[in-house]
Amino acid sequence: MSLQDIEERDDTATEEDGSSYNKIVDWLNEASVTSETTTKTEILSKVQEIIVKKEPGLLNSFLDEVIAFQSDRNSDVRRLVVGIIEEAVKKDSNVLPRVAPSLLLLLQDGSAQVQKRVVQAAAQVYRAALAWLADAHTSHEVLEATWNAITAIKAQIVYLVDCENDGIRTHAVKFLENVVLLQTYPEPDGMVRRDDFSLEDVPMTLKIARRRKLEEEALMVFELLLNFHGSPHISSVNLMTCMGSLTLIAKMRPQLFMGKVINAFEKLHQNLPPTLSKSQVSSVSKHLKIQLLNLLKQPSSVEFHNNITALLTELGATHQEVMRALPHPEELRRRQKRVAQMAPDLTPPSSKKSRLKVEYEEEASEDDETVQVVNSEPTVEPISTVPAPIILSEEVIDAAEKYILERLTPEVATQLVIQNMMKLPDAVPPSFCAEYKPIPNAGSPVQIKMLCRMLAQLLCDAGMDPNGGHSKQPKMEIDDGPLEKDVKPSLTSVMTEMMDKEKEMQQAKASQQSGTVTVKVPKQRVRTLKLSEITKPLTTETRGNMMRAAVKRILKAERAAAVGGVMPVRSKIISTLAVTFNTDVRDVILEFLLEDIRGRIDLAFAWLYEEYSFMQGFSRLPPFIKREETPEHRYDKLLCSLVKSLGDRPGQEGKDGSLLFRLFLEAPLVTDEAVDVLRRICGDRSRAAAGISLLQELVVRRPPRKIVFLNALLMHTAHEEPEVRTRALDAVTQLYERGELRSIIEEYAMLYLSFLRLPSPPDVLFGPDRGRQKSTIPVIECRSTTGEVAATPWSEEAVRACLYLYLALLPLNEEMIHELARVYVQTAADMKRTILRLLEQPVRGMGMDSPQLLRLVEECPKGAETLVTRVIHILTEKTPPSAELVARVRELYHTRVSDVRFLIPVLNGLSKKEVIAALPKLIKLNPVVVKEVFNRLLGTHTESPSHMSPLTPAELLIALHSIDPSKCELKTVIKATSLCFSEKQAYSQEVLAVVLQHLMEMTPLPTLLMRTVIQSLSLYPRLIGFVMNILQRLILKQVWKQKKVWEGFIKCCQRTKPQSFQVLLQLPPAQLSDVFQVSPDLRQPLLAHVTAFTDNQRAHIPKSIMDVLLGSKRTSNDEYDVDTEARSPSDLTIDIKEEPEDYNSRSEPAPPGLE
């Protein structure tokens, strides 16, 4: 800051206190020359205290001088300048046009602390900007330029949400919260803050900031906050900050955002970021609980009380805490009454939207009539860093300044530079390095005028007046440095020569007007030095080495350029060199970039955009420069080199992964070769996560080439590597749910499904990019009638590859199940088995109530019965079948499909009569299938307590005994009953007792009765008393009339001795004799048993029985006719091996005929 600039503002500071004004001038001069950061910050703090708080009238006078410190090298000073700007805007919003460009420049500062402070201040500045716009009723150039700068600040902060610095992200979230609240309408139920500003305060007539656009932007920002809140890699600090912001937004705009915020909290509780430690998880959960309690206190959250209380309960909140947080019932009643009163006055949201839509259309029509020119680059007045010169005379200096300004052309400036370069010292003075500051907006009219002022000052110091003579002012002794002493004579000589030439031109013009001719005497010319006469041309190798060395020196000057503040200029120079020079220079620069691609990514983008401008013809090379490669090839080569460098680095989920995202998202064009490189990255298991996520983002965020990116993503859905395939399927299903690309994804899935109709797998399924090689599949030669066909057979892996994407989409589009049925009919048996194995997960996702599944069952294509059966089996495996499903299966079974296996999945939905009628066919099936049938009927296939079966275990066993032997072989029934006895949990002692009781009451007796009695006794020895009772009843029913049952009776008596002796003694003599013939070993034990009786007891035994026991008399068997007795089937034999008398150790007898 120069003293002259301050004095020029004296006329505008008439109302300020003189002492304060002079004091500030001295402070600012001291701050501009001091190099101590502490002193400078203290001075600026004192200036801020006076011009902002004590005497705001001085703000306009010194604001520009204070903002000039934004280019100070120390970050603390720049942070303080940001704070002064914030306070100035809060005090007087009319200073916005002067501070907005500076704030935008400071937001791009290299210091994270400065950026953080700018983001923090931007919230207040943005609110003040909207209020300032609302008060301005006309749209002029300054207004538009200021709003453009504010919009650019907002866009930059939105981008900083993905910044690497955690603190910057935190402040960016708070800024976005402020944007959402400022750019939305207030709500009656929302929390209200004092002096709040909202979209309602923005006038409808304001054309540069339409309400509709602001509201749409607020909704987009809110979605960005939700996405950031649900990010899996968010830090705990950012997460808790975002939670607080969402809570505040929900409290102030409940009708618009309350449901979304609560939904986001529920998702967060279910899926906390995996990067959090245990302590961070605890802190986040506690913070989530606090935010939910705050929402619960709001009367506007009454509709979501169930969700909030359930979530609080899961978070460990006690009932007392929840009840304390609930709003008072009286408050809720007041709210309902208030809403009811406001209902007639307020239009519903839909009508409000329609009304706003009409207003917006009127605004749009007004916009069409008015053409607006927006200056995206607001002009910032440069602040000179030249020390204040000695003032001689205002009139003289002003005249000299005007004189130089009229004549200072680029040619004159070039002469000044050239003549003074020879007088520069060999080494740069340290003072120059310490005090040099780049001149902002060099070449602008303001800067040229400032330069002319400095030259005028130097001319006056040299004693020259504007007419070329010497000034009458006495020369003042100025102790200049060595650099200034050398420069002044040259400057004086050049300016003198310039004025002499002008005098000659004026004299020539005057002579022409007067008619006189002046003859110019020729001067002798001095022979100029020609370099070609004393130099030799360099060799090509030497020129190349020198060129590369020069480029390397430019590249190594990175730190010096950063200190000097000329990084943008350096980037432009390097990118131009890389584009225009040969391959050697290009390789040197590329190697330099790849050494630290993270720190030099901006330079890489500058080069990439420069190549793109040449490729599109925006920039052209001079005609004498010819390149061997086309611009398209050079751009593609550079982009692929950068992608390979970032893709080959480990830790793609970290910073390098974000750089790869940035490269693909910000590159002007993504070529096919770059997509191929990215495709190879996705195929690597260690890098698949970052690559596939990037492809998904490219599909959404780069619409012109979304088909290319989607195709690259789809091909990985059939990858052999499970991790790659799973991530690709997740990404594709997410894109499918968006709805924009559904048809393309469905076509791709259908195409792969149709491959199964081919006799051999297509080549598209194989290759390095698919993770499987065709050579690994065994080749079987299959010669047709023509004699020369060698087909590659379908392997299970190839079949699965064709089904992965299709089955992943099936729960999202249930109509696709019908195409699967049509393809299934045309496939081979091995393919069918693979399809049936893969069906479980998608079918469960569709559910039993799916209309398309019911339609498939109803319209079952011919040949797809096994597919439909498998589908029904999956649906009913753990849950009972629905009535609609049972009805359709029953109808299909009775009309088209007679295979009883079709009924197995819905057995529990059939009636008792239907199940009993189907039993003969069911037990004839494969033993594994029969086992499944019994599991479903007995409920052993599920742990659900709500299992319902048409048959109880007892009824099932009774039904098996009642099967007509003409419909089913007896051996098959025996195997079925054995399966029942193996289910001990279903067939308890009580159940078997009920079964035996029912079988006893049947006429004729079931053929397998005695076998069931013996098996029941083997399982439960405590049934011995019950069995003895059965045997006695069988005697009354003349069991010997049924041969097979009688044989079983004898076997049972043999196994149950000595308890059965009392039963044997009740037999008629002829039947007892028959027992001894069949089982002679029973005679002696029974005789011993009778001998042990008392005389009184033996007296009750008939003599005929004793004769049979003693063997003295053989009883004739004429008492019954064998030929007329009811006979059992001839193929039934009951052969039960002897068991020890300990019934607890008895095992189940083997089925008849299998001993």
Side-chain angles (χ1 to χ4, degrees), residues 772-785:
R772 65 178 69 86
Q773 298 295 332
K774 195 169 185 178
S775 58
T776 60
I777 306 297
V779 177
I780 301 176
E781 293 188 0
C782 302
R783 296 188 178 274
S784 63
T785 56

mmCIF file of all heavy atoms in Angstrom, residues 772-785:
data_model
loop_
_atom_site.group_PDB
_atom_site.id
_atom_site.type_symbol
_atom_site.label_atom_id
_atom_site.label_comp_id
_atom_site.label_asym_id
_atom_site.label_seq_id
_atom_site.Cartn_x
_atom_site.Cartn_y
_atom_site.Cartn_z
ATOM 1 N N ARG A 772 -11.525 -66.755 -16.919
ATOM 2 C CA ARG A 772 -11.531 -68.189 -17.236
ATOM 3 C C ARG A 772 -11.000 -68.371 -18.652
ATOM 4 O O ARG A 772 -11.238 -67.530 -19.527
ATOM 5 C CB ARG A 772 -12.935 -68.780 -17.091
ATOM 6 C CG ARG A 772 -13.944 -68.255 -18.031
ATOM 7 C CD ARG A 772 -15.303 -68.930 -17.856
ATOM 8 N NE ARG A 772 -15.911 -68.544 -16.596
ATOM 9 C CZ ARG A 772 -16.642 -67.451 -16.431
ATOM 10 N NH1 ARG A 772 -16.841 -66.634 -17.448
ATOM 11 N NH2 ARG A 772 -17.179 -67.167 -15.278
ATOM 12 N N GLN A 773 -10.278 -69.463 -18.842
ATOM 13 C CA GLN A 773 -9.702 -69.762 -20.133
ATOM 14 C C GLN A 773 -10.449 -70.918 -20.774
ATOM 15 O O GLN A 773 -10.824 -71.884 -20.103
ATOM 16 C CB GLN A 773 -8.213 -70.123 -19.985
ATOM 17 C CG GLN A 773 -7.358 -69.001 -19.429
ATOM 18 C CD GLN A 773 -7.293 -67.793 -20.360
ATOM 19 O OE1 GLN A 773 -7.421 -67.947 -21.577
ATOM 20 N NE2 GLN A 773 -7.080 -66.618 -19.795
ATOM 21 N N LYS A 774 -10.625 -70.845 -22.063
ATOM 22 C CA LYS A 774 -11.345 -71.903 -22.759
ATOM 23 C C LYS A 774 -10.547 -73.196 -22.792
ATOM 24 O O LYS A 774 -11.108 -74.290 -22.846
ATOM 25 C CB LYS A 774 -11.664 -71.448 -24.178
ATOM 26 C CG LYS A 774 -12.699 -72.305 -24.883
ATOM 27 C CD LYS A 774 -13.149 -71.652 -26.165
ATOM 28 C CE LYS A 774 -14.273 -72.441 -26.810
ATOM 29 N NZ LYS A 774 -14.768 -71.810 -28.047
ATOM 30 N N SER A 775 -9.235 -73.091 -22.728
ATOM 31 C CA SER A 775 -8.400 -74.283 -22.805
ATOM 32 C C SER A 775 -8.555 -75.175 -21.579
ATOM 33 O O SER A 775 -8.230 -76.349 -21.614
ATOM 34 C CB SER A 775 -6.931 -73.874 -22.957
ATOM 35 O OG SER A 775 -6.536 -73.066 -21.864
ATOM 36 N N THR A 776 -9.043 -74.606 -20.464
ATOM 37 C CA THR A 776 -9.208 -75.412 -19.248
ATOM 38 C C THR A 776 -10.427 -76.314 -19.308
ATOM 39 O O THR A 776 -10.588 -77.192 -18.477
ATOM 40 C CB THR A 776 -9.345 -74.485 -18.030
ATOM 41 O OG1 THR A 776 -10.480 -73.640 -18.210
ATOM 42 C CG2 THR A 776 -8.110 -73.625 -17.875
ATOM 43 N N ILE A 777 -11.329 -76.117 -20.279
ATOM 44 C CA ILE A 777 -12.521 -76.947 -20.412
ATOM 45 C C ILE A 777 -12.186 -78.156 -21.271
ATOM 46 O O ILE A 777 -11.673 -78.009 -22.391
ATOM 47 C CB ILE A 777 -13.671 -76.151 -21.060
ATOM 48 C CG1 ILE A 777 -13.925 -74.865 -20.271
ATOM 49 C CG2 ILE A 777 -14.927 -76.999 -21.148
ATOM 50 C CD1 ILE A 777 -14.372 -75.109 -18.865
ATOM 51 N N PRO A 778 -12.435 -79.377 -20.822
ATOM 52 C CA PRO A 778 -12.131 -80.548 -21.649
ATOM 53 C C PRO A 778 -12.994 -80.555 -22.901
ATOM 54 O O PRO A 778 -14.174 -80.265 -22.869
ATOM 55 C CB PRO A 778 -12.479 -81.723 -20.726
ATOM 56 C CG PRO A 778 -13.435 -81.166 -19.747
ATOM 57 C CD PRO A 778 -13.037 -79.743 -19.539
ATOM 58 N N VAL A 779 -12.363 -80.889 -24.015
ATOM 59 C CA VAL A 779 -13.041 -80.880 -25.309
ATOM 60 C C VAL A 779 -13.448 -82.299 -25.662
ATOM 61 O O VAL A 779 -12.644 -83.231 -25.611
ATOM 62 C CB VAL A 779 -12.128 -80.299 -26.408
ATOM 63 C CG1 VAL A 779 -12.814 -80.358 -27.758
ATOM 64 C CG2 VAL A 779 -11.741 -78.879 -26.050
ATOM 65 N N ILE A 780 -14.706 -82.470 -26.011
ATOM 66 C CA ILE A 780 -15.227 -83.777 -26.422
ATOM 67 C C ILE A 780 -15.628 -83.679 -27.885
ATOM 68 O O ILE A 780 -16.412 -82.812 -28.273
ATOM 69 C CB ILE A 780 -16.444 -84.185 -25.570
ATOM 70 C CG1 ILE A 780 -16.040 -84.246 -24.093
ATOM 71 C CG2 ILE A 780 -17.016 -85.512 -26.035
ATOM 72 C CD1 ILE A 780 -17.191 -84.553 -23.188
ATOM 73 N N GLU A 781 -15.077 -84.525 -28.673
ATOM 74 C CA GLU A 781 -15.392 -84.501 -30.092
ATOM 75 C C GLU A 781 -16.759 -85.128 -30.325
ATOM 76 O O GLU A 781 -17.004 -86.283 -29.968
ATOM 77 C CB GLU A 781 -14.330 -85.242 -30.891
ATOM 78 C CG GLU A 781 -12.976 -84.544 -30.862
ATOM 79 C CD GLU A 781 -12.006 -85.200 -31.824
ATOM 80 O OE1 GLU A 781 -12.409 -86.175 -32.476
ATOM 81 O OE2 GLU A 781 -10.866 -84.724 -31.916
ATOM 82 N N CYS A 782 -17.635 -84.389 -30.938
ATOM 83 C CA CYS A 782 -18.980 -84.861 -31.242
ATOM 84 C C CYS A 782 -19.179 -84.746 -32.746
ATOM 85 O O CYS A 782 -19.358 -83.632 -33.251
ATOM 86 C CB CYS A 782 -20.037 -84.039 -30.490
ATOM 87 S SG CYS A 782 -19.811 -84.059 -28.700
ATOM 88 N N ARG A 783 -19.119 -85.841 -33.410
ATOM 89 C CA ARG A 783 -19.232 -85.821 -34.871
ATOM 90 C C ARG A 783 -20.696 -86.011 -35.259
ATOM 91 O O ARG A 783 -21.353 -86.949 -34.834
ATOM 92 C CB ARG A 783 -18.365 -86.901 -35.498
ATOM 93 C CG ARG A 783 -16.887 -86.680 -35.242
ATOM 94 C CD ARG A 783 -16.043 -87.650 -36.036
ATOM 95 N NE ARG A 783 -14.631 -87.393 -35.822
ATOM 96 C CZ ARG A 783 -13.919 -86.511 -36.508
ATOM 97 N NH1 ARG A 783 -14.515 -85.821 -37.461
ATOM 98 N NH2 ARG A 783 -12.662 -86.326 -36.263
ATOM 99 N N SER A 784 -21.146 -85.126 -36.106
ATOM 100 C CA SER A 784 -22.514 -85.218 -36.599
ATOM 101 C C SER A 784 -22.540 -86.107 -37.832
ATOM 102 O O SER A 784 -21.550 -86.735 -38.195
ATOM 103 C CB SER A 784 -23.050 -83.822 -36.923
ATOM 104 O OG SER A 784 -22.272 -83.249 -37.955
ATOM 105 N N THR A 785 -23.667 -86.155 -38.487
ATOM 106 C CA THR A 785 -23.800 -86.996 -39.676
ATOM 107 C C THR A 785 -22.904 -86.495 -40.800
ATOM 108 O O THR A 785 -22.478 -87.264 -41.648
ATOM 109 C CB THR A 785 -25.267 -86.995 -40.121
ATOM 110 O OG1 THR A 785 -25.694 -85.644 -40.326
ATOM 111 C CG2 THR A 785 -26.137 -87.655 -39.080
#
